[in-house]
Amino acid sequence: AAALSEEPKPRLDALKEATSRADLLGLSHLPAAASLERRAAAASKWCGRANNALRRRSYLNQLQALSAEGAALGVATEQLEEIDERVASAARWSERARAALASGGSASVEEAVALATEAAALDVTVAEEGKVKELVQSHELWAKRATGAFVKRGCGASLLEALTHRGEPLETTAESEDGGGEQSGTTACCFCTGNDAATTSKFMIGCDA
């Protein structure tokens, strides 16, 4: 028991074993054995709270508080290791998210989507998560409105293709009108006239802009 009490961070199972042996030997009345028993009891109680937090998606500040409490016990546990790993991962994500949000909305779509995807896999609720989702939604809304303005309904071209080809015909494939499979050709870009999907999805000789 004395040797365990001198270790910087004895494992909880070792503490429990030491207290059990002290009871069997009739040494539980000794101050060192009583001290180990109190540490083991406090660590067991903390582990119960930690398990509850790990079973659900807890907030980052809650896990940080639990980590500080667990470290103060001076007992090594698997729960503390898991909590510290989650806190470290969430803290790294939070730093990147704050940098993206501080850019005034200039973060790329890919960066915003990647951050949102990573946040869903963190198993931790982070304060910036909601703002990152709003950033992704704003990108998606802009892309939808821009597509509606530049790409005709029924056109097979993407928004990027329509904006970069500047009126030139786009190479594409589509089902042939007689149902005989796919055919290759060119389709009019975003500058074509009309919004009828039945006509704008057909192949054209060239752009009529």
Side-chain angles (χ1 to χ4, degrees):
L4 279 175
S5 63
E6 293 173 0
E7 291 184 19
K9 275 193 176 183
R11 298 201 66 84
L12 180 56
D13 54 356
L15 281 180
K16 290 181 177 179
E17 182 180 354
T19 56
S20 296
R21 288 179 60 84
D23 287 337
L24 290 174
L25 297 172
L27 302 175
S28 57
H29 64 283
L30 295 177
S35 176
L36 289 181
E37 187 174 0
R38 287 193 297 270
R39 286 177 68 183
S44 296
K45 184 177 180 180
W46 178 88
C47 284
R49 295 169 54 211
N51 286 331
N52 288 334
L54 291 171
R55 277 194 291 265
R56 61 178 184 270
R57 202 169 194 268
S58 300
Y59 286 93
L60 176 58
N61 59 350
Q62 294 175 336
L63 293 182
Q64 288 172 328
L66 270 175
S67 175
E69 292 177 23
L73 292 172
V75 180
T77 63
E78 294 179 359
Q79 290 86 345
L80 181 57
E81 294 173 1
E82 176 64 23
I83 285 177
D84 285 344
E85 287 179 7
R86 291 193 186 187
V87 167
S89 297
R92 289 192 296 268
W93 181 91
S94 180
E95 182 178 357
R96 292 171 50 218
R98 286 197 299 269
L101 293 170
S103 64
S106 62
S108 67
V109 178
E110 292 78 8
E111 182 181 4
V113 171
L115 283 169
T117 302
E118 292 172 19
L122 280 177
D123 287 331
V124 182
T125 299
V126 188
E128 295 82 8
E129 187 175 351
K131 293 182 179 179
V132 169
K133 288 181 179 178
E134 292 177 0
L135 180 60
V136 172
Q137 290 171 352
S138 67
H139 279 307
E140 292 175 345
L141 178 60
W142 179 89
K144 183 177 180 180
R145 294 175 62 185
T147 299
F150 289 96
V151 182
K152 295 299 182 181
R153 183 162 51 92
C155 180
S158 66
L159 174 62
L160 180 62
E161 289 173 329
L163 292 176
T164 55
H165 277 71
R166 300 183 182 279
E168 298 175 1
L170 299 173
E171 293 293 331
T172 186
T173 59
E175 290 291 333
S176 61
E177 295 182 7
D178 57 5
E182 290 188 345
Q183 62 179 13
S184 300
T186 59
T187 183
C189 70
C190 60
F191 300 103
C192 67
T193 58
N195 286 312
D196 185 2
T199 59
T200 56
S201 62
K202 291 182 179 180
F203 292 110
M204 300 182 182
I205 296 176
C207 179
D208 55 7

